Amino acid sequence: MKFLIIIAIVFTFSLSLCAQQQAQMLKNGDAAPVFSGQKMDGTPYDLSQLQGKVVVLTFWSTRCAICHSEIPKLNQVVDRYRDKDVVFVAATMDSEPKIQAYLKKTPFNFTIMPNAFGMMLQYADKDRSGNINMGFPAHFVINRQGAIAMRADGWDKTDDLDSKIRALLSME
C-alpha cells in the first residue's frame, strides 16, 4: 500500500513539474510584450508610444536570404498604408554599421531597431528547456489594443500581413 502511495505522489509531482515546463509561445489574443529600444538614429522607441495604432513588428537579419527577398514586398505593404494608423517596425540583432551597409544596397522602409536581441527574446518561442526558436523573418501584427492579432514566419507572408492589416483597420 505504501508503494502505491509513493507512486501516486511521484506521479502527481511529475505532472505538476511538466505543467510548469510547458513550451512558451505567444498566441493570437495574448498581450504583446512591451518592447523598447533605439531606432537607427539613436532616438528611444517603444510599444507604448504606438498605442491606438496597428503595429507590424518584423524580426529579420541581414544574413537571412528569405528576409532579403521579402524586403521589396514588405516595402510595398508599407507604401499601401503610408497615411493610415499603421506602424512598421523591423527589429534585428545586427549592429548599426552592419545595417547601414546593408541598407545602401537594399532599402527597407520600416522603422529599424538594431541590437534588438532582448526584444527578440520577448517574442521568440521557447521549448520546455528554455531554448529559443524563431524563424526569420518573423512577423507579429499587434492590434490597436496591444494584443497579438497575427503571427507568422518564413517565406512570403506579405499577403497575409496585408489582409490582417486591412481587417484591423476596417474594424474602426
Side-chain angles (χ1 to χ4, degrees):
M1 184 67 159
K2 285 185 180 182
F3 180 73
L4 289 175
I5 293 173
I6 291 173
I7 296 274
I9 291 171
V10 169
F11 180 72
T12 303
F13 181 71
S14 297
L15 283 178
S16 68
L17 207 77
C18 285
Q20 292 174 3
Q21 292 183 349
Q22 292 289 329
Q24 179 183 356
M25 178 168 54
L26 288 172
K27 299 177 295 303
N28 289 348
D30 288 349
V34 177
F35 62 78
S36 62
Q38 291 185 346
K39 298 189 289 187
M40 286 290 289
D41 64 4
T43 58
Y45 200 67
D46 64 55
L47 184 59
S48 65
Q49 293 173 315
L50 308 175
Q51 185 110 15
K53 298 180 187 255
V54 173
V55 178
V56 178
L57 173 60
T58 297
F59 291 92
W60 69 291
S61 171
T62 59
R63 296 175 302 279
C64 168
I66 295 172
C67 301
H68 183 74
S69 68
E70 293 291 306
I71 288 174
K73 292 179 184 179
L74 291 169
N75 285 341
Q76 289 174 355
V77 175
V78 171
D79 290 341
R80 227 171 279 140
Y81 296 100
R82 189 161 305 281
D83 296 325
K84 307 288 186 212
D85 278 340
V86 183
V87 177
F88 295 87
V89 179
T92 179
M93 295 178 285
D94 294 326
S95 67
E96 289 176 46
K98 190 170 198 170
I99 297 165
Q100 287 170 341
Y102 181 85
L103 293 176
K104 286 179 183 175
K105 298 176 195 166
T106 309
F108 196 4
N109 298 336
F110 280 45
T111 297
I112 298 175
M113 296 181 67
N115 305 310
F117 180 70
M119 191 170 155
M120 190 267 307
L121 287 177
Q122 292 180 283
Y123 282 81
D125 294 341
K126 295 175 188 78
D127 66 15
R128 291 181 183 179
S129 300
N131 297 316
I132 298 167
N133 181 18
M134 180 179 269
F136 285 92
H139 307 284
F140 294 84
V141 179
I142 302 167
N143 67 22
R144 294 175 188 266
Q145 294 75 37
I148 303 291
M150 178 189 150
R151 60 173 289 152
D153 61 48
W155 186 262
D156 201 15
K157 302 299 183 205
T158 52
D159 287 341
D160 297 337
L161 289 170
D162 189 38
S163 293
K164 181 50 80 175
I165 295 166
R166 202 170 34 250
L168 290 172
L169 291 176
S170 70
M171 297 172 70
E172 298 179 330

